[in-house]
Amino acid sequence: GSGGSVWLTAKRLLGDGQITASAGTCTYGGAGCGGRISIRQTEATDFSAWKGIWMAAGGRRTGGSATLVGGPGTICLRSAGESASDVTVIVDNDNYTSTGDHSNGFAELGASSGCDAIGTLIVRNKGFAKIVPGTEMKISGGIDTTGGFTLRATATGERRW
């Protein structure tokens, strides 16, 4: 199944542990996509006190002739004083990849996903992100490409870094 969702609002996030909305592993059938994690801090201005892990990776199908991987979900981080368009969005598929002629699904960004303007986009560890066709997307803080990724900007064009 798919990863579901986690929505946290707190003064500050500190300590360690795991916050996950990752899809499960299956033997046959389709692998689910990662879910959504949204964390908003109302007093802390950054996430430096958090030493744990957050993950919304797609699931894996391990049976049959190919390994299939569901697309990643999204992790949205918003600190005190930041507007909705200042959030950091992370797309991370935990280095899972499909084999054979199969490709990973995409984490959708754009108005239909509730994410049409963001501060920083981080796509890493074999994450795939797609800007919904016909959507204008503003990324004011830049794009971090740790580990390579695919960003699909239109239905017919694709840009790989």
Side-chain angles (χ1 to χ4, degrees):
S2 294
S5 63
V6 176
W7 185 308
L8 297 174
T9 300
K11 289 181 180 181
R12 69 183 46 83
L13 187 66
L14 55 93
D16 61 13
Q18 294 184 11
I19 301 170
T20 62
S22 295
T25 299
C26 62
T27 304
Y28 296 99
C33 291
R36 306 282 185 248
I37 297 173
S38 177
I39 303 173
R40 182 174 183 189
Q41 299 183 124
T42 58
E43 290 185 5
T45 57
D46 64 35
F47 283 87
S48 61
W50 174 248
K51 306 300 182 202
I53 296 168
W54 39 55
M55 183 62 60
R60 293 175 290 159
R61 183 188 91 178
T62 57
S65 61
T67 298
L68 301 177
V69 176
T74 55
I75 302 164
C76 296
L77 306 175
R78 183 175 172 186
S79 294
E82 292 182 333
S83 70
S85 61
D86 293 326
V87 300
T88 296
V89 175
I90 301 171
V91 178
D92 184 330
N93 218 26
D94 201 21
N95 283 314
Y96 294 161
T97 56
S98 294
T99 60
D101 294 330
H102 308 284
S103 63
N104 292 14
F106 289 84
E108 287 194 348
L109 305 173
S112 65
S113 67
C115 188
D116 59 356
I118 60 176
T120 302
L121 175 62
I122 300 170
V123 186
R124 62 185 181 205
N125 298 325
K126 312 241 168 90
F128 289 74
K130 174 176 132 180
I131 298 172
V132 178
T135 298
E136 181 176 316
M137 182 79 192
K138 285 185 170 182
I139 302 172
S140 59
I143 299 175
D144 179 338
T145 62
T146 305
F149 74 97
T150 299
L151 177 63
R152 181 171 282 174
T154 67
T156 58
E158 189 172 286
R159 178 67 195 243
R160 292 181 182 261
W161 281 265

